[in-house]
């Protein structure tokens, strides 16, 4: 850059000076020529006016130092000359252009080289009448030739141009050095920035415009470096977090090459960190996992599934990262959870079984005591024992139903009419329906494929709640609808309703919004949990809509997708 700047600047200045020189030489030369032309015309005019046969031509010598006056006869011979020594009098002058021009009545100046004097001469002639004849009065003066003019001007020009060139060279060098030094500092700053290690340094000042730019660059560099630092910190934190979480995580790009893998995932797949940038096939052979990643990469399909690897159970999430080509796979080890859940289920089932037998015995003994009792006071206690054992047996019955549903592997479905089940449920609940003067309606019908007792359990639990948590004189409607896609059963009531916060929890085991009310109505807190288990077993969709104080609507969509 430095060289080029020197070269172009010097070249342009040299061209400028040369053009200026040529133009000045030309203009001065033309001016001189014009002055000489005017002068010679005036001198000739004056001589012509004063000329007559008696004029002493030698007196014209005084007209001007360099001026020469010649009188030429109409035949072309020289009659008189202010410098007689220089001429050949006999030579005919009629063919000279200035004489011909004067003869034709349109006198004009002409210049030509004079062999005798060795210079360019400017000629002008006028035709002057003398008596019956005429003569030509011709004047001539020497003019400097343009080459000579140039030759004379060239040495001072070369001197001046050299002086200018030297001054320009010194000035440009100083200027360019200052700018180059400034850019050098900027370059070093930018290089340090691109190397990731911003090193601020004082930037030398030059011209205000460039100073402004360099200050801007310096400010931007500082901001960029701050952003880099913040990003680097974030990256370090992210790496720390990623490598310290218990979940395995890896990310693949559109070609299924591994972009990132954390420590936990390295352990799960038993690989070393150099697996990064290699293809997914080097990491895992499991078809289920590779297929899920393939579907996510090509079809953007997210999946969640369980996978057993080296004797451990993992919950695998395959997900596309938004606005990128990247697919993320997270493996959460759920082996302990699954084992704990299994243990809980076993305990739940065993405890229910173990409690059922003695409770049934207590119930039997209590009935015997009731039959043989003659004491009126004892009768109250016997009644309490009977009520509480009944409640406990119902609870144990519900607990057993849940554990049975959890352990059901094979289902033997038969066609079941939903309206038949709904009407029979109404009959079962008739006592409480009548007590509360509830209007209970069943509309529509459809047949679903399921084990019969599951459908009874499902409809009974939902409808029982609709009646239990209803007001005196309330309404319950079981609507059964069927279209080409699915069968739908909706149980709606205009009872007490459920608040939005409670709606997500009521499907949990033993969860009751109002425990006293549930107990009073004979609830165990397991009804909706049983409903949820049945739906999960068949893949049916269960949903609930409710408004506090207005009523509840529970819907089961009998389709397995
Ligand atoms: P419970 O045996 O106590 O009825 P469920 O599992 O059937 O247990 O229901 C859980 C809780 O959800 C109930 O205690 C009740 O508070 C609330 N609930 C269920 N259905 C309704 C309904 N139709 N209207 C109002 N509350 C309801």
């Amino acid at each position: 850059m430095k060289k080029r700047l020197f070269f172009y600047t010097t070249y342009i200045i040299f061209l400028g000076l040369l053009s200026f020189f040529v133009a000045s030489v030309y203009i001065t030369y033309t001016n001189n020529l014009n002055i000489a032309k005017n002068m010679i015309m005036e001198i000739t005019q004056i001589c012509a006016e004063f000329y007559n046969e008696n004029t002493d031509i030698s007196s014209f010598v005084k007209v001007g130092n360099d001026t020469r006056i010649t009188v030429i006869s109409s035949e072309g011979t020289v009659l008189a000359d202010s410098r007689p020594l220089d001429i050949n009098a006999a030579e005919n002058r009629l063919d000279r252009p200035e004489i011909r021009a004067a003869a034709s009545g349109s006198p004009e100046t002409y210049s030509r080289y004079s062999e005798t004097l060795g210079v360019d001469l400017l000629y002008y002639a006028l035709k002057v009448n003398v008596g019956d004849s005429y003569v030509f009065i011709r004047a001539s003066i020497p003019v400097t030739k343009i080459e000579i003019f140039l030759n004379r001007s060239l040495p001072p020009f070369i001197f001046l141009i050299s002086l200018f060139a030297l001054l320009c060279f010194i000035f440009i060098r100083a200027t360019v050095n200052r700018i180059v030094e400034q850019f050098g500092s900027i370059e070093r700053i930018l290089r340090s920035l691109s190397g990731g290690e911003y090193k601020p340094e004082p930037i030398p000042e030059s011209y205000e415009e460039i100073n402004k730019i360099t200050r801007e660059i310096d400010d931007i560099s500082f901001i960029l470096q701050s952003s880099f630092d913040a990003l680097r910190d974030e990256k370090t934190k992210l790496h720390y977090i990623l490598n310290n979480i218990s979940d395995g995580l890896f990310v693949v790009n559109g070609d299924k090459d591994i972009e990132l893998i954390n420590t936990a995932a390295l352990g799960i797949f038993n690989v070393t960190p150099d697996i990064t940038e290699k293809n997914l096939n080097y990491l895992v052979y499991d078809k289920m996992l590779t297929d899920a990643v393939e579907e996510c990469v090509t079809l953007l399909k997210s999946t969640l599934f369980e996978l057993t690897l080296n004797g451990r159970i993992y919950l695998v999430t395959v997900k596309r990262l938004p606005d990128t080509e990247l697919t993320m796979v997270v493996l959460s080890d759920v082996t302990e959870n699954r084992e704990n859940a299994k243990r809980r289920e076993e305990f739940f089932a065993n405890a229910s079984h173990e409690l059922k037998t003695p409770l049934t015995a207590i119930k039997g003994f209590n009935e015997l005591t009731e039959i043989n009792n003659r004491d009126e006071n004892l009768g109250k206690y016997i009644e309490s024992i009977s009520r509480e054992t009944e409640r406990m047996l119902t609870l144990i019955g519900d607990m057993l139903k849940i554990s049975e549903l959890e352990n059901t592997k094979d289902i033997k479905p038969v066609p079941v009419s939903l309206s038949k089940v709904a009407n029979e449920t109404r009959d079962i609940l008739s006592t409480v329906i009548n007590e509360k003067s509830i209007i209970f309606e069943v509309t529509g019908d459809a047949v679903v494929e399921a084990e019969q007792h599951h459908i009874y359990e499902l409809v009974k639990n939902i409808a029982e709640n609709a009646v239990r948590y209803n007001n005196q004189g309330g309404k319950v409607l079981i609507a059964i609808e069927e279209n080409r896609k699915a069968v739908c059963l909706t149980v709606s009531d205009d009872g007490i309703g459920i608040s939005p916060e409670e709606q997500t929890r009521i499907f949990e085991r033993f969860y009751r919004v109002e425990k006293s009310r549930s107990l009073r109505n004979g609830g165990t807190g397991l009804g909706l949990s049983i409903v949820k288990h049945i739906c999960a077993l068949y893949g049916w969709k269960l949903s609930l809509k409710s408004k506090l104080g207005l009523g509840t609507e529970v819907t089961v969509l009998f389709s397995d997708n």
Side-chain angles (χ1 to χ4, degrees):
M1 180 196 120
K2 202 169 163 180
K3 272 187 197 160
R4 232 189 244 181
L5 210 63
F6 267 140
F7 175 74
Y8 283 127
T9 322
T10 317
Y11 183 65
I12 288 165
I13 289 174
F14 177 77
L15 272 187
L17 285 173
L18 191 68
S19 317
F20 175 72
F21 168 73
V22 172
S24 348
V25 167
Y26 180 74
I27 290 165
T28 318
Y29 172 75
T30 340
N31 267 350
N32 280 353
L33 199 63
N34 283 340
I35 290 167
K37 276 181 184 173
N38 286 339
M39 203 171 85
I40 199 173
M41 280 159 77
E42 272 174 27
I43 290 169
T44 318
Q45 191 69 42
I46 292 165
C47 292
E49 273 171 25
F50 286 101
Y51 182 79
N52 58 46
E53 284 156 80
N54 306 317
T55 307
D56 175 12
I57 194 79
S58 62
S59 66
F60 286 172
V61 176
K62 292 173 188 124
V63 171
N65 284 345
D66 294 331
T67 317
R68 175 181 175 190
I69 309 292
T70 314
V71 181
I72 298 162
S73 70
S74 54
E75 280 83 34
T77 54
V78 174
L79 298 176
D81 197 305
S82 59
R83 302 228 178 131
L85 291 174
D86 300 340
I87 58 141
N88 177 3
E91 198 182 329
N92 195 308
R93 265 56 177 190
L94 282 185
D95 59 340
R96 303 288 154 87
E98 69 278 6
I99 302 295
R100 274 192 300 190
S104 67
S106 325
E108 247 187 82
T109 55
Y110 289 93
S111 71
R112 62 178 171 274
Y113 184 68
S114 161
E115 295 282 349
T116 333
L117 299 176
V119 289
D120 268 359
L121 286 176
L122 190 67
Y123 295 92
Y124 185 71
L126 284 174
K127 188 175 164 188
V128 180
N129 291 325
V130 183
D132 297 339
S133 183
Y134 60 88
V135 292
F136 297 100
I137 305 288
R138 185 182 78 171
S140 68
I141 51 167
V143 283
T144 320
K145 280 176 83 172
I146 191 141
E147 293 88 347
I148 295 166
F149 210 87
L150 269 173
N151 283 344
R152 274 193 214 143
S153 317
L154 212 53
F157 168 73
I158 289 171
F159 170 72
L160 279 178
I161 216 167
S162 311
L163 191 71
F164 267 118
L166 186 72
L167 288 176
C168 284
F169 178 78
I170 294 167
F171 176 72
I172 292 166
R173 205 180 126 96
T175 311
V176 168
N177 277 349
R178 271 167 75 186
I179 297 172
V180 166
E181 202 185 333
Q182 201 172 13
F183 279 117
S185 297
I186 295 169
E187 192 203 342
R188 278 194 297 281
I189 288 175
L190 292 179
R191 209 183 304 128
S192 72
L193 192 67
S194 70
E197 210 36 69
Y198 171 62
K199 287 194 198 110
E201 63 170 89
I203 302 173
E205 302 253 310
S206 66
Y207 297 95
E208 194 42 41
E209 293 77 4
I210 303 178
N211 292 345
K212 271 188 205 160
I213 297 169
T214 52
R215 264 179 247 133
E216 279 294 321
I217 293 175
D218 197 33
D219 288 351
I220 292 169
S221 305
F222 179 74
I223 294 166
L224 273 178
Q225 185 59 43
S226 308
S227 310
F228 284 163
D229 289 346
L231 274 177
R232 200 184 295 141
D233 284 354
E234 285 300 314
K235 204 175 158 190
T236 316
K237 273 190 229 159
L238 199 70
H239 266 271
Y240 181 81
I241 294 168
L242 279 181
N243 289 322
N244 283 283
I245 53 169
S246 56
D247 287 351
L249 181 147
F250 67 89
V251 175
V252 295
N253 61 20
D255 297 326
K256 287 188 281 162
D257 293 334
I258 293 154
E259 292 268 328
L260 184 148
I261 182 161
N262 75 347
T263 315
L266 293 174
I268 292 171
F269 296 106
N270 200 16
V271 288
T272 48
D274 60 7
I275 192 79
T276 315
E277 289 181 13
K278 287 193 183 145
N279 196 268
L280 178 68
N281 295 326
Y282 291 93
L283 181 73
V284 61
Y285 302 109
D286 188 273
K287 192 164 172 351
M288 203 169 164
L289 181 54
T290 48
D291 284 356
V293 173
E294 173 77 41
E295 279 193 345
C296 194
V297 168
T298 50
L299 308 169
L300 307 174
K301 191 180 161 197
S302 299
T303 29
L304 182 74
F305 58 93
E306 269 189 16
L307 181 76
T308 307
L309 273 176
N310 305 325
R312 313 270 322 159
I313 307 163
Y314 295 97
L315 186 67
V316 184
T317 313
V318 182
K319 211 172 177 183
R320 188 67 169 259
L321 295 177
D323 306 325
T324 64
E325 292 262 288
L326 303 173
T327 296
M328 179 183 73
V329 181
V330 181
L331 297 104
S332 313
D333 192 333
V334 291
T335 318
E336 253 84 80
N337 288 0
R338 291 288 171 273
E339 280 168 3
N340 285 344
K342 210 170 165 215
R343 260 181 245 129
R344 261 202 320 272
E345 280 168 19
E346 278 167 14
F347 172 77
F348 198 74
N350 290 341
S352 312
H353 269 295
E354 293 303 321
L355 285 170
K356 198 177 174 187
T357 321
L359 267 174
T360 316
I362 292 170
K363 193 184 171 211
F365 291 132
N366 197 42
E367 278 166 5
L368 274 177
T369 317
E370 192 181 16
I371 294 165
N372 299 318
N373 180 35
R374 304 281 174 264
D375 185 344
E376 249 184 50
N377 285 337
L378 208 62
K380 278 193 292 183
Y381 299 114
I382 293 168
E383 204 181 304
S384 286
I385 293 169
S386 165
R387 203 173 48 243
E388 292 306 320
T389 41
E390 199 57 53
R391 196 200 304 277
M392 281 186 79
L393 280 168
T394 317
L395 179 67
I396 287 164
D398 278 358
M399 284 164 74
L400 284 169
K401 277 176 206 158
I402 290 183
S403 65
E404 188 197 301
L405 284 166
E406 279 171 342
N407 292 309
T408 304
K409 297 271 175 318
D410 293 324
I411 314 164
K412 294 183 184 71
V414 291
V416 185
S417 157
L418 288 179
S419 68
K420 184 171 174 269
V421 175
N423 285 316
E424 282 179 24
T425 305
R426 182 180 47 199
D427 295 344
I428 294 165
L429 299 173
S430 60
T431 319
V432 58
I433 289 174
N434 292 336
E435 265 173 26
K436 292 180 104 172
S437 313
I438 301 260
I439 302 165
F440 196 112
E441 275 181 37
V442 177
T443 61
D445 187 22
V447 172
V448 290
E449 294 280 330
E451 285 196 16
Q452 201 155 331
H453 69 109
H454 285 154
I455 299 290
Y456 273 97
E457 220 28 83
L458 180 116
V459 177
K460 193 199 106 197
N461 276 301
I462 303 173
E464 200 169 21
N465 282 346
V467 174
R468 258 187 207 158
Y469 303 105
N470 213 324
N471 304 312
Q472 201 66 29
K475 268 193 211 160
V476 173
L477 172 69
I478 300 183
I480 302 153
E481 287 162 339
E482 184 174 18
N483 63 26
R484 269 185 299 136
K485 281 189 182 163
V487 171
C488 180
L489 176 130
T490 309
V491 180
S492 48
D493 66 69
D494 56 357
I496 60 169
I498 309 159
S499 68
E501 313 83 71
E502 308 282 358
Q503 285 174 26
T504 47
R505 302 210 56 198
I506 53 168
F507 293 96
E508 291 172 17
R509 275 176 214 194
F510 298 115
Y511 190 82
R512 284 172 280 211
V513 177
E514 214 186 316
K515 197 172 178 192
S516 56
R517 187 169 185 145
S518 166
L519 285 174
R520 211 170 42 244
N521 291 318
T524 59
L526 292 173
L528 287 181
S529 191
I530 294 172
V531 171
K532 191 177 87 175
H533 274 83
I534 296 172
C535 289
L537 187 66
Y538 288 90
W540 297 333
K541 204 174 156 204
L542 175 66
S543 57
L544 179 136
K545 274 194 242 164
S546 186
K547 272 204 175 133
L548 204 59
L550 290 178
T552 305
E553 187 181 285
V554 180
T555 305
V556 181
L557 199 66
F558 297 88
S559 81
D560 51 7
N561 49 45

